[in-house]
Amino acid sequence: MAATDGRATCSPVTILIPVLGDQLSFDLSSLNGVDPADAVILMMEVADETTYVRHHKTKLVYILSAMRHHAEALRAAGWRVDYVALDDPANEGSFTGEMARAIQRHAPDRIIVTEAGEWRVAAMLDSWETLFGLPVDIRPDTRFLCSHGEFAAWAEGRKTLTMEFFYRIMRVKAELLLDDGKPTGGRWNFDKENRKPARGDLLMPRPLAFAPDAITQAVIALVEQRFRNHPGSLDGFDYAVTAQDSERQAASFFSNALPQFGDYEDAMLTGERHLWHSILSPYINSGLLDPLDLCRRAEAEYRAGRAPLNSVEGYIRQIIGWREYMRGIYWREGPDYVDRNFLGHTRALPGWYWTGETDMHCLRETLGQTLASAHAHHIQRLMVTGNFALLIGADPKQVHQWYLEVYLDAYEWVELPNTLGMSQFGDGGLLGSKPYMSSGAYINRMSDYCRDCRYAVGKRIGEDACPFNALYWDFLERHRDKLGDNNRLAMPYRTWDKMAPADQAATREQAAGFLATLDASGDAGY
């Protein structure tokens, strides 16, 4: 795409509308009520946004290609689009720098923009009115069900911010899965029915694959040339990059995978990246798909008898429950949330988080598919990579940065609370009532990973003992001063206390030996 596309202004421009890389929606609030003849849309590929962390190459290709395709769709719909490509020699490398150049080109009377998704970008938007001397209308992002004010009002005065109660309010507001004002099926939550392990199945659904077109191929070449030191591979890039193809992927999910999604949403299998998951979160978070529309379509599948209630409720809860809740937490807690470290963890992540080269099969499998495709489902993230990072005492801020780097759907507003709060317990229980950690037993129950591992999942002590086992008990004892009175951990602490002192000492020595080996390897960080 030429750097000068859309630059010529044939008639006076009243309004300049910047559209960011996670705002690829036609129903964007900044476009509502605007006559395309009075406006020019500015889309910017800038160095600051591609390098503030070392984004996975696949993530960069997806976002840049989706932006370029969306620009073409906007033009086809009658909008004038001023598109600044990353390799434009005059590119200033920042949103603010490119806004200044665009104002010089178009001399607008005012700026309209949809609010940013992240604190870092929001601060830029807030500075523009003073910096440019123009009125800046920052509009709410109406693609979300819950506004910042609504979430703050819900959270005000509560001792605990339990997601389940927030989710119920969102269900009622959206009028999803309700019968005469009561939850369909008599319950709000069917999560207990969604924890089945899976077996390999030749009939397992597969998401659609999309061959890169000329625009995507050009972006692949750009990323390979410019971001060689970023993690990940671009071999076999096959993600959708348009609203139309994203819609095709959604239709495929509803027809082929949703019926069994609930049963197996926590399952993990060697060699199976997707199982029955939708793989729609990248398209939702960038704006190509409407989240509420997907929820309504999922409910329609249940009403038509094509999908069971536990699957549909579980899918809807992920979107209007967890997704909206994470956004609410992010904006309520503020920019210093990223620095919280309740457990005082400081260890660097092992370097093999960026290579996948480890003898622990569960980690090798999860990291391998992450590096290959920028995707892993929520249990792989929470109970494999996140669980291990928590047990070894990894710095939660570094863990957050790693997740932000490597996953296609990771934007800070949704990734940070999930990682620092839910996975690493860095906020001390604001988001989760207990740390999400386990020994190897959970991974063995929910996957076939342990079958092909050189470590024995049933052993706690010894050269071939699963590292998760000793690390789990060591974690509990190490943090007894902060976690010992947590009611949800009462049972494991009782089990630990019943162990003979010699067994406890041997367990902690096993954990210390593993951690010392990890530190001494010199393979920490990237």
Side-chain angles (χ1 to χ4, degrees):
M1 176 177 293
T4 56
D5 277 359
R7 298 287 174 83
T9 302
C10 300
S11 58
V13 170
T14 303
I15 305 166
L16 179 63
I17 306 175
V19 170
L20 308 181
D22 59 352
Q23 299 179 347
L24 309 183
S25 309
F26 277 94
D27 61 348
L28 203 61
S29 60
S30 55
L31 304 182
N32 290 343
V34 176
D35 185 340
D38 296 333
V40 62
I41 291 173
L42 175 66
M43 297 185 69
M44 305 163 276
E45 301 174 1
V46 296
D48 281 1
E49 299 305 305
T50 56
T51 58
Y52 70 91
V53 296
R54 292 187 323 117
H55 297 289
H56 194 298
K57 293 174 184 175
T58 294
K59 183 179 182 182
L60 289 172
V61 168
Y62 168 70
I63 293 173
L64 296 179
S65 181
M67 286 176 64
R68 295 184 183 195
H69 282 90
H70 188 63
E72 295 298 328
L74 286 167
R75 290 190 184 105
W79 292 94
R80 285 178 289 176
V81 181
D82 182 347
Y83 196 99
V84 183
L86 192 63
D87 53 0
D88 182 338
N91 193 320
E92 289 286 335
S94 70
F95 286 150
T96 298
E98 283 308 307
M99 283 291 294
R101 289 207 307 137
I103 289 169
Q104 289 181 338
R105 287 194 297 273
H106 302 294
D109 296 328
R110 58 191 172 115
I111 298 166
I112 300 177
V113 62
T114 295
E115 64 181 337
E118 301 178 359
W119 283 107
R120 177 181 54 83
V121 182
M124 298 180 204
L125 271 57
D126 288 340
S127 73
W128 286 351
E129 187 160 296
T130 299
L131 190 62
F132 300 133
L134 290 172
V136 178
D137 179 5
I138 302 176
R139 296 181 174 180
D141 193 339
T142 53
R143 298 173 300 171
F144 289 91
L145 187 60
C146 184
S147 70
H148 301 317
E150 285 177 301
F151 188 87
W154 171 79
E156 183 67 29
R158 291 177 179 265
K159 293 182 179 180
T160 58
L161 303 182
T162 305
M163 190 281 292
E164 178 65 24
F165 301 125
F166 170 78
Y167 162 59
R168 294 176 186 181
I169 293 172
M170 292 299 101
R171 277 266 296 275
V172 172
K173 181 177 182 179
E175 299 181 340
L176 288 165
L177 290 178
L178 297 175
D179 294 318
D180 297 324
K182 297 180 180 179
T184 299
R187 288 157 49 194
W188 291 101
N189 188 316
F190 289 82
D191 191 47
K192 291 182 179 179
E193 297 172 24
N194 294 356
R195 302 171 184 173
K196 297 178 182 177
R199 296 180 180 179
D201 184 349
L202 293 176
L203 299 179
M204 191 178 298
R206 295 285 185 268
L208 301 178
F210 302 93
D213 63 7
I215 291 176
T216 302
Q217 288 173 4
V219 174
I220 289 173
L222 173 67
V223 170
E224 288 283 26
Q225 186 275 326
R226 189 162 178 150
F227 302 98
R228 292 191 185 95
N229 70 328
H230 283 226
S233 168
L234 289 174
D235 295 341
F237 181 93
D238 60 3
Y239 287 104
V241 291
T242 66
Q244 292 81 2
D245 283 346
S246 300
E247 166 56 35
R248 290 175 59 199
Q249 193 71 273
S252 177
F253 167 69
F254 288 127
S255 295
N256 302 317
L258 178 62
Q260 291 183 289
F261 163 76
D263 286 353
Y264 303 117
E265 68 172 298
D266 288 1
M268 300 174 282
L269 288 174
T270 298
E272 293 291 350
R273 290 191 320 193
H274 306 116
L275 286 87
W276 286 269
H277 289 269
S278 71
I279 325 298
L280 298 181
S281 56
Y283 314 131
I284 297 171
N285 289 350
S286 64
L288 294 179
L289 291 178
D290 180 339
L292 188 55
D293 173 67
L294 293 175
C295 289
R296 288 174 175 148
R297 289 164 64 183
E299 179 178 18
E301 293 298 304
Y302 166 71
R303 300 293 184 190
R306 293 188 292 265
L309 184 56
N310 69 305
S311 286
V312 171
E313 187 278 319
Y315 183 70
I316 289 174
R317 179 161 25 93
Q318 285 191 353
I319 295 179
I320 67 163
W322 271 113
R323 183 174 183 270
E324 295 271 348
Y325 177 72
M326 291 296 167
R327 179 178 183 256
I329 291 287
Y330 175 84
W331 284 98
R332 180 178 185 267
E333 294 306 304
D336 66 344
Y337 186 78
V338 71
D339 294 313
R340 297 186 194 180
N341 191 351
F342 175 74
L343 298 173
H345 285 173
T346 58
R347 179 172 277 105
L349 276 176
W352 40 260
Y353 264 64
W354 287 265
T355 68
E357 296 172 2
T358 172
D359 288 341
M360 286 173 279
H361 183 71
C362 60
L363 281 157
R364 186 170 68 248
E365 185 71 14
T366 300
L367 292 168
Q369 75 172 57
T370 294
L371 295 167
S373 66
H375 169 77
H377 71 67
H378 67 286
I379 292 298
Q380 292 174 306
R381 301 187 202 192
L382 180 65
M383 299 308 298
V384 180
T385 52
N387 184 17
F388 184 81
L390 178 66
L391 294 181
I392 67 170
D395 181 341
K397 192 171 184 178
Q398 187 187 25
V399 179
H400 144 64
Q401 180 173 317
W402 182 81
Y403 277 88
L404 186 59
E405 285 182 356
V406 300
Y407 288 115
L408 192 65
D409 55 4
Y411 296 84
E412 189 180 76
W413 64 266
V414 67
E415 174 277 324
L416 175 60
N418 262 303
T419 301
L420 186 138
M422 184 180 183
S423 173
Q424 300 303 298
F425 208 67
D427 61 14
L430 173 73
L431 197 152
S433 57
K434 74 174 184 67
Y436 278 86
M437 81 289 189
S438 76
S439 67
Y442 175 86
I443 296 171
N444 189 40
R445 183 167 66 253
M446 296 308 302
S447 76
D448 63 358
Y449 290 162
C450 301
R451 183 187 64 193
D452 298 317
C453 188
R454 89 156 182 86
Y455 294 105
V457 69
K459 296 184 68 173
R460 177 166 31 97
I461 298 168
E463 186 178 343
D464 62 341
C466 172
F468 279 90
N469 295 337
L471 289 171
Y472 171 78
W473 296 110
D474 182 68
F475 173 91
L476 286 171
E477 184 58 29
R478 198 165 74 237
H479 294 298
R480 190 165 201 141
D481 60 331
K482 293 183 176 179
L483 301 176
D485 61 354
N486 186 306
N487 290 333
R488 295 193 64 193
L489 296 176
M491 184 175 294
Y493 272 114
R494 282 198 297 269
T495 301
W496 171 251
D497 290 341
K498 289 177 183 178
M499 289 186 193
D503 282 346
Q504 289 182 340
T507 299
R508 299 208 68 192
E509 184 178 351
Q510 177 85 13
F514 178 80
L515 292 173
T517 301
L518 199 67
D519 295 338
S521 69
D523 191 26
Y526 190 86

